[in-house]
Amino acid sequence: MRRSEKIRRFLEGHPRAAEHELQKKFGLSFREAKRVLAEYYGVIEVVVNRVSLRDRVIAWFRNIFLSEKQTMIFLVSIAALVRLGYIWVLSRHEVLRLPLLDAEYYIEWAQNIVAHGWLGDKVFFTEPLYAYFLALVLKIVGVNWFPQAVLGFQFLLGALFPVLLYFVGKKLLSRPIGVAAGLIAALYGPFVFYDGLLLKTSLEVYTLPLFLLLFWKTFERPRARSFFLLGLLLGGITLIKGNALIFAPLTGLLMFWFLKDVALKMRFIFIGLFLAGVIACIVPITLRNYVVGHDIVPTNYSIGLVFYQGNWWGGDGSTAYVPTFLRPHPKYEETDAVGMAESYVGHDLLPSEVSRFWIGKAFSEILATPGHFIATLWHKVLLLLNYREYSDNYSYAFYRSYVPFLWALPGYFVVATLGGAGWLLLFSRRFEEMIVEGQTSVTKGAARIRFRQVRLMLTLFFIAYIGVLLMTTINSRYRMPLTPFLILFSASLIIFCFHRFRERTAQGLGRLAVTFGVLLVLTVLPLSIFKHLSFADAYNNIGYWYYSGGQHEQAKEYFNKAIVEDNEYAWSYKSLAHIAYAEGRFSDAETLIKKLVAIRPDDLSNYEEVHLLKKVADLPDEEARIIVEEWLSSIDGEQPYDADGYEASRLLKLGDDAAAEAALLRSLEKHGNPLPTLLALASLKSEQKELPIAKQHLRAALAQNPDLFPARYNLANIFIQENNYKEVAELLAPIYAFSPELGETWYNYAVALIKTNRNAEAAAVAQAYVERYKDDASRQTVVKKFQDALKPSDSPLNDMVKNMEKK
């Protein structure tokens, strides 16, 4: 019996049946059920002349998207309007236009290309295309118009990108999904933000959807030339961001799978042409690298270090924690990577050998501590999902404070939650039914096959890129190329929910709600890495840019803002101290260094600053200025690379004291008693109760820098165990004079003075402590002990000793 006859009989027996009953019983859509009831009962729809405002708005909105041309104009207009507003704000605030860190690095690279030749003189460490793009623009427009030209091009791309994503969504899924994706892209806040920065991020974001669109068009109309051009495009993307090369084998596999109707020989030819296109882009760079560096490096050789940074023994998968031998500026990254690798192997390395070394080092550490690798991997997953825009260059939150309308634009929170649920929705039977809806019985089967191919392609590319990210480090900038995928998935979810609403059914929404809820929780998890995020980073980066350019007044302004934001922001204190040195304000420098030592007593470089202050304290101004200038100029010079000391730190964390000690002894032998090694060995020997050897190492450290307070403090602790309080007092006196807050210096120094019958001095120390910390809740226990000890009695100092020894 035909379905229409079954429906008729059902209605005869159930004259009050509603649309939802027909939907449930016969699998009809809401519109189909409504039409069936209207035809059965002969209902004629009456057109009412009065149209509500809501209906007018809906009708107007629909009319915008009636034609392809109107859709494109509307999307470009919205995106351009948002970006014009952003440009207006940028024009009013110089600090938002400063090229910081990576941007500064790329500009210097571009200037070097223009000044010294396009071939260059060394193997590329990072992907070169963006730097050469900047160099080309610099050559064409000159220095004065260079930033405006680059940012103008990026803003133009940003205004056109919603149209590209519209066509991707329309071609791969459906026109409504394409429209929704285009609207989200036009308004997406981080897109606008990165358009206004001299970083390659915007090019990374825009090129991947273009590759997806061209791949699908090439698959639908397979031509030899199209496959070669597709390979050229992927090769170009690889020169922007090397991890895009993961798409090459995936594309070849998908071609082989999708082109089943093509002869086997032709499939291999097409795949070969595609790979030839990729190689055609890469080979010129490989040849260039060989000419200048006599080494075979296909594009660049930073991949080894990038892989190591994402998995090293002390990291958490974010860019917040990097190996200790890397200085916190991109201009030093290559030098430090090469220097430490060569320190490990003991001889010079070719660039490709440096990369292979760090890959091997990463794998060896992963195998040694698989638990740490798994924990780090999970943390990276959470960082990928988290809504916060955490970066190592520019702060999205900081820019948002200057551009209030960014708060109204959708951000990562929207696309992460909707997009994650939308991706899982692709595997829903009901979503598939929605996509193939409207097809005839003849074409519906082909439409299903096509949709499943699209789903496979999107899923493989999406997961592959996530996999590459999880093997390296995560921050908001690195995850940006995932955003177009998430926007497509978000649009799919939105259109599906709208379709369910229009059909007056909640089928398929239950699981989506659960998925959305789980993602919602994961995106807002308060990870520990975000506890220390503040505007201090942004202010410090701005201050450092001014400081590097010799603009000390502007630098001081922003370093002080960083300290106001975070009173324990060590980098800004150190930079302010260096400015004070340069300006001859040594008393101000001393105040800043005292604070710095209290904040970061573990940073041994701080005690070089203390030693410098004491060195120039009594010198004539001109002589002091010369010494300070020489010292400041040496800060950015070559640094020693001690592989054994670095390896010892890893072994100590693992608890392998014997291997760590062997590494530390090698460090002493090779590098002439480096201070970190001496302190580490002394600590190890103290734990092993070999106190004479520990004292020997600490005295060797103090011979190099008498103001190395950790060495003084640790040596004093050994003498406390030996009841040699005369030595304790002598060792702690300089610390107390400069930074009494260091450890238990204040307390131990007072005890040492009492033990050596220097009672008046001891009372002064105790009284000074009480005066400084009487209102500090965290120090009330010690304050109370000192107050009790200082009360008048027959033997106040004896009471003081007794009270202290009870502690």
Side-chain angles (χ1 to χ4, degrees):
M1 185 184 298
R2 296 176 61 184
R3 187 171 68 164
S4 58
E5 182 64 21
K6 291 181 179 179
I7 293 173
R8 186 185 65 80
R9 292 189 179 185
F10 176 77
L11 291 175
E12 288 175 353
H14 303 80
R16 295 181 179 273
E19 289 91 342
H20 67 88
E21 293 178 89
L22 295 182
Q23 285 181 270
K24 185 176 180 180
K25 187 169 182 63
F26 298 104
L28 301 177
S29 68
F30 180 79
R31 284 181 297 170
E32 290 172 335
K34 189 174 181 180
R35 187 176 65 251
V36 167
L37 289 175
E39 291 173 354
Y40 181 77
Y41 292 112
V43 176
I44 300 174
E45 293 189 13
V46 178
V47 178
V48 180
N49 290 330
R50 185 178 179 182
V51 181
S52 67
L53 177 62
R54 182 180 68 87
D55 292 337
R56 289 178 184 178
V57 171
I58 293 174
W60 175 82
F61 196 72
R62 285 177 176 172
N63 288 336
I64 291 176
F65 302 106
L66 284 178
S67 70
E68 206 82 277
K69 183 178 179 181
Q70 287 180 214
T71 301
M72 293 169 61
I73 291 173
F74 181 76
L75 291 175
V76 171
S77 300
I78 293 294
L81 184 63
V82 171
R83 282 154 179 79
L84 285 173
Y86 191 74
I87 291 170
W88 179 74
V89 176
L90 288 184
S91 68
R92 299 180 61 206
H93 299 286
E94 181 190 40
V95 295
L96 301 183
R97 304 193 304 273
L98 298 180
L100 307 176
L101 299 173
D102 280 56
E104 183 182 18
Y105 171 79
Y106 277 111
I107 290 172
E108 291 179 358
W109 187 358
Q111 291 170 338
N112 187 62
I113 292 170
V114 173
H116 300 103
W118 294 79
L119 185 64
D121 58 359
K122 62 179 183 178
V123 174
F124 292 133
F125 181 68
T126 57
E127 299 89 346
L129 189 56
Y130 189 68
Y132 275 81
F133 162 68
L134 295 182
L136 180 63
V137 175
L138 182 61
K139 185 72 174 178
I140 293 172
V141 305
V143 175
N144 293 334
W145 289 96
F146 165 69
Q148 295 90 327
V150 175
L151 295 181
F153 174 75
Q154 291 180 181
F155 278 121
L156 177 62
L157 277 183
L160 295 175
F161 182 66
V163 174
L164 171 61
L165 210 56
Y166 158 70
F167 280 114
V168 173
K170 175 189 172 186
K171 188 72 176 175
L172 299 182
L173 296 165
S174 72
R175 189 172 189 273
I177 290 174
V179 170
L183 284 172
I184 296 172
L187 298 171
Y188 188 64
F191 283 169
V192 183
F193 170 63
Y194 282 105
D195 286 345
L197 301 176
L198 290 171
L199 297 174
K200 62 183 179 180
T201 307
S202 57
L203 296 185
E204 296 174 33
V205 170
Y206 303 153
T207 49
L208 289 180
L210 179 61
F211 176 76
L212 289 178
L213 182 62
L214 294 183
F215 168 77
W216 191 257
K217 286 189 172 183
T218 301
F219 160 65
E220 287 189 325
R221 299 183 65 185
R223 296 178 181 177
R225 182 180 63 181
S226 299
F227 284 101
F228 181 74
L229 293 175
L230 185 67
L232 284 177
L233 175 60
L234 184 58
I237 296 172
T238 301
L239 297 181
I240 300 172
K241 191 67 174 176
N243 55 18
L245 195 60
I246 190 66
F247 290 161
L250 283 180
T251 302
L253 290 172
L254 288 173
M255 286 178 181
F256 190 84
W257 180 258
F258 288 171
L259 298 174
K260 289 182 178 180
D261 296 335
V262 178
L264 183 63
K265 179 180 178 181
M266 285 305 301
R267 275 190 273 176
F268 280 115
I269 290 174
F270 288 153
I271 294 171
L273 288 169
F274 165 72
L275 295 176
V278 176
I279 294 169
C281 253
I282 292 176
V283 163
I285 307 301
T286 307
L287 293 175
R288 178 260 174 208
N289 284 338
Y290 185 79
V291 169
V292 300
H294 305 292
D295 189 21
I296 299 176
V297 177
T299 56
N300 61 291
Y301 72 100
S302 63
I303 179 61
L305 180 66
V306 170
F307 181 58
Y308 182 75
Q309 282 182 271
N311 301 282
W312 74 289
W313 56 270
D316 67 348
S318 74
T319 52
Y321 300 99
V322 297
T324 52
F325 61 85
L326 288 177
R327 285 170 284 183
H329 198 291
K331 67 181 179 182
Y332 301 121
E333 194 171 47
E334 179 179 9
T335 303
D336 292 344
V338 174
M340 185 56 82
E342 291 178 345
S343 177
Y344 264 100
V345 300
H347 57 80
D348 292 345
L349 293 173
L350 292 171
S352 61
E353 294 173 330
V354 172
S355 185
R356 287 196 296 272
F357 169 82
W358 288 117
I359 291 173
K361 185 81 171 70
F363 276 118
S364 67
E365 291 183 8
I366 290 170
L367 292 174
T369 54
H372 175 264
F373 171 72
I374 294 170
T376 300
L377 196 63
W378 173 240
H379 191 251
K380 292 178 192 177
V381 171
L382 295 178
L383 287 173
L384 273 180
L385 290 171
N386 203 278
Y387 77 95
R388 294 171 180 83
E389 294 288 341
Y390 167 69
S391 182
D392 57 348
N393 278 248
Y394 295 87
S395 167
Y396 183 69
F398 177 75
Y399 273 65
R400 198 165 50 190
S401 69
Y402 280 84
V403 193
F405 72 79
L406 284 178
W407 284 96
L409 301 181
Y412 194 75
F413 175 75
V414 174
V415 299
T417 50
L418 294 181
W423 174 46
L424 295 177
L425 176 65
L426 296 185
F427 298 89
S428 163
R429 179 178 59 83
R430 291 185 176 86
F431 181 79
E432 182 177 316
E433 291 297 330
M434 185 193 79
I435 293 294
V436 303
E437 187 179 55
Q439 299 286 336
T440 66
S441 57
V442 177
T443 60
K444 188 167 284 189
R448 288 184 189 278
I449 293 174
R450 181 185 182 281
F451 166 72
R452 291 169 185 175
Q453 290 173 332
V454 168
R455 181 174 64 192
L456 177 62
M457 178 190 72
L458 289 175
T459 297
L460 285 180
F461 284 166
F462 182 60
I463 291 178
Y465 204 88
I466 288 176
V468 171
L469 290 178
L470 292 179
M471 290 298 103
T472 56
T473 51
I474 305 293
N475 67 23
S476 58
R477 184 161 52 100
Y478 297 164
R479 71 187 184 189
M480 277 292 289
L482 287 175
T483 307
F485 291 95
L486 292 172
I487 288 177
L488 284 174
F489 301 151
S490 299
S492 300
L493 179 65
I494 291 169
I495 296 303
F496 179 75
C497 290
F498 179 75
H499 183 271
R500 297 288 92 183
F501 172 76
R502 191 177 58 186
E503 296 295 331
R504 307 295 194 275
T505 179
Q507 290 180 342
L509 297 181
R511 293 180 181 178
L512 282 179
V514 173
T515 304
F516 179 81
V518 171
L519 289 170
L520 185 64
V521 171
L522 293 177
T523 55
V524 299
L525 280 179
L527 304 180
S528 59
I529 186 178
F530 299 122
K531 290 180 181 178
H532 306 290
L533 288 186
S534 68
F535 285 180
D537 290 312
Y539 287 133
N540 183 72
N541 288 339
I542 294 168
Y544 185 80
W545 189 88
Y546 282 122
Y547 173 67
S548 300
Q551 302 179 60
H552 287 180
E553 289 305 313
Q554 293 93 327
K556 285 190 286 187
E557 176 187 352
Y558 284 97
F559 287 139
N560 281 315
K561 285 184 177 181
I563 291 172
V564 170
E565 192 69 33
D566 181 355
N567 191 43
E568 296 191 348
Y569 198 84
W571 291 107
S572 289
Y573 280 107
K574 181 168 285 190
S575 296
L576 283 170
H578 291 174
I579 293 174
Y581 289 148
E583 295 177 350
R585 296 182 290 107
F586 298 132
S587 61
D588 291 343
E590 181 175 348
T591 301
L592 291 162
I593 297 302
K594 284 181 177 180
K595 179 67 174 178
L596 188 59
V597 169
I599 296 169
R600 288 292 309 275
D602 60 319
D603 186 350
L604 300 188
S605 67
N606 292 337
Y607 304 106
E608 296 176 18
E609 313 257 359
V610 176
H611 189 59
L612 175 69
L613 284 169
K614 293 188 175 182
K615 185 176 181 180
V616 302
D618 299 321
L619 294 177
D621 290 345
E622 183 61 24
E623 188 177 346
R625 185 183 61 80
I626 293 171
I627 292 174
V628 166
E629 286 179 357
E630 290 178 352
W631 186 83
L632 289 174
S633 64
S634 69
I635 292 176
D636 292 332
E638 291 186 7
Q639 68 171 11
Y641 298 102
D642 183 0
D644 294 302
Y646 178 72
E647 193 66 16
S649 299
R650 183 181 72 86
L651 294 167
L652 286 170
K653 185 174 181 179
L654 289 176
D656 191 347
D657 291 353
E661 183 177 347
L664 289 169
L665 292 173
R666 290 195 301 271
S667 171
L668 290 183
E669 181 181 349
K670 294 178 183 177
H671 300 284
N673 290 352
L675 294 178
T677 300
L678 289 170
L679 290 179
L681 268 174
S683 176
L684 202 58
K685 290 302 179 183
S686 294
E687 291 176 5
Q688 296 169 355
K689 304 302 180 183
E690 299 183 33
L691 299 185
I693 300 177
K695 287 194 288 186
Q696 177 185 336
H697 292 313
L698 291 171
R699 291 201 180 281
L702 289 173
Q704 294 184 51
N705 182 1
D707 299 304
L708 188 64
F709 293 162
R712 284 184 168 274
Y713 186 85
N714 292 339
L715 188 56
N717 280 337
I718 294 175
F719 282 116
I720 287 174
Q721 296 178 52
E722 297 175 350
N723 290 317
N724 188 345
Y725 283 95
K726 181 180 179 181
E727 288 282 0
V728 173
E730 290 180 6
L731 286 165
L732 295 182
I735 305 178
Y736 174 75
F738 195 91
S739 183
E741 294 90 352
L742 184 68
E744 294 291 332
T745 295
W746 213 310
Y747 181 84
N748 290 336
Y749 184 53
V751 172
L753 291 174
I754 294 169
K755 292 285 190 179
T756 53
N757 297 318
R758 295 160 66 178
N759 299 336
E761 294 175 71
V765 170
Q767 186 62 49
Y769 188 95
V770 170
E771 289 299 321
R772 181 175 294 194
Y773 295 116
K774 61 185 177 182
D775 296 324
D776 188 340
S778 65
R779 300 176 186 260
Q780 286 307 298
T781 301
V782 179
V783 168
K784 183 68 167 56
K785 287 182 178 293
F786 280 141
Q787 287 176 331
D788 292 342
L790 291 168
K791 288 179 180 178
S793 66
D794 294 335
S795 54
L797 293 178
N798 289 334
D799 291 343
M800 187 175 179
V801 172
K802 292 176 182 178
N803 275 295
M804 288 181 173
E805 289 179 342
K806 290 177 184 177
K807 183 176 180 294

